[in-house]
Amino acid sequence: MAVALLPALAALAACAPIGPRQHDAPVDPAVCSAGLGPAENTRLAAIEQVLRDGKPYAALAQLDAMRSEAPSVQLVRADALRRIDRPHEAAALYQQLLSGCQSAQAHHGLGLLLANQGKLAEGLTHLQAARSAAPTDVRVRNDLGYALLLAQRTEEARFELLTVLDLSPREPRASRNLVLLTMREGRPEKARELAASLGLDAATLERLGQQASQSPPPQPMPEPAPALAAPSPATVAKEPARP
């Protein structure tokens, strides 16, 4: 998504270090963590960090070792499957989670998956559902903003990205995506001003300029980058992005 949802929503994921999920939809922790005790929850959090560090195969192996069907575990499994290009398995898991306590995250993951398959309209539907369920989740709104940028719905994209920056000032992915959007509008001076105010360096600005000059089709939505990796210019996902 710098640009979290341009590789088709691989770009949806222009990314910064990933923080904890934020939930606005009613959530029953007992249901989401059904069958998990404190030790298992700690173990799952460690597996999520493995996934953030860009090791989806290792994450899947550790999930297999947990032998749990809890919704929170299945969500992490779906995210890992999506990142190793097993879309049918990931989609099946996301679909199972859409009506439960992980619905916002399931819509988010399914939206990224569909967008990266070139099904941008369907992806947008799920990303908008994720935003409705979790309106203060900055990753969701950034990826939605990037997807809207890919769909050339500029004003809607700007609204989402500015909302992210109000919720989380200087959020790296949204900052990069907003500068990219401004460049694509043909306003290089304004883009430079924005980049300076948002703390983006010259190298990032140059990479965004190169991305903005690319002719369609756009790159997919990027997946979130590993937490310790140097932020890439125009990736909000390789969720997204997480566009």
Side-chain angles (χ1 to χ4, degrees):
M1 246 263 153
V3 179
L5 289 166
L6 263 179
L9 271 197
L12 263 193
C15 300
I18 301 172
R21 289 191 180 90
Q22 302 176 24
H23 301 279
D24 288 274
V27 172
D28 183 348
V31 174
C32 285
S33 300
L36 297 183
E40 288 79 10
N41 278 313
T42 299
R43 185 178 182 184
L44 181 60
I47 295 173
E48 287 187 284
Q49 185 58 56
V50 169
L51 187 57
R52 294 188 189 104
D53 289 342
K55 300 176 180 178
Y57 292 96
L60 278 172
Q62 294 183 37
L63 289 168
D64 289 343
M66 281 191 73
R67 302 181 186 280
S68 172
E69 300 295 319
S72 53
V73 174
Q74 295 298 80
L75 177 67
V76 179
R77 181 180 295 279
D79 288 344
L81 288 168
R82 172 168 56 84
R83 296 185 194 192
I84 64 170
D85 197 25
R86 289 166 62 177
H88 299 299
E89 295 170 76
L93 287 176
Y94 286 134
Q95 290 286 353
Q96 293 173 18
L97 296 168
L98 288 179
S99 60
C101 56
Q102 302 284 1
S103 62
Q105 289 70 37
H107 276 296
H108 183 208
L110 194 53
L112 291 173
L113 179 64
L114 289 166
N116 278 321
Q117 291 178 325
K119 302 173 183 177
L120 185 54
E122 294 176 62
L124 276 169
T125 297
H126 283 285
L127 289 168
Q128 289 165 331
R131 177 196 57 191
S132 296
T136 62
D137 188 319
V138 296
R139 292 177 305 155
V140 168
R141 297 198 80 129
N142 174 72
D143 288 352
L144 174 57
Y146 185 74
L148 289 165
L149 173 58
L150 294 181
Q152 300 183 34
R153 292 161 60 174
T154 305
E155 290 308 313
E156 293 172 82
R158 193 191 324 276
F159 177 85
E160 296 300 330
L161 298 173
L162 290 173
T163 299
V164 172
L165 291 172
D166 264 3
L167 290 167
S168 181
R170 294 200 176 195
E171 200 283 330
R173 296 177 300 159
S175 296
R176 295 190 290 268
N177 286 332
L178 186 59
V179 170
L180 177 66
L181 181 154
T182 306
M183 287 179 169
R184 284 181 173 263
E185 291 180 313
R187 298 193 292 159
E189 289 300 325
K190 179 62 177 178
R192 280 192 284 272
E193 292 175 14
L194 268 176
S197 68
L198 293 168
L200 300 183
D201 61 28
T204 296
L205 184 60
E206 181 179 355
R207 290 193 295 267
L208 289 172
Q210 293 171 353
Q211 185 175 342
S213 66
Q214 292 174 357
S215 57
Q219 299 172 336
M221 294 187 62
E223 294 292 346
L228 299 180
S232 64
T235 42
V236 287
K238 210 155 187 158
E239 221 105 330
R242 219 205 307 192

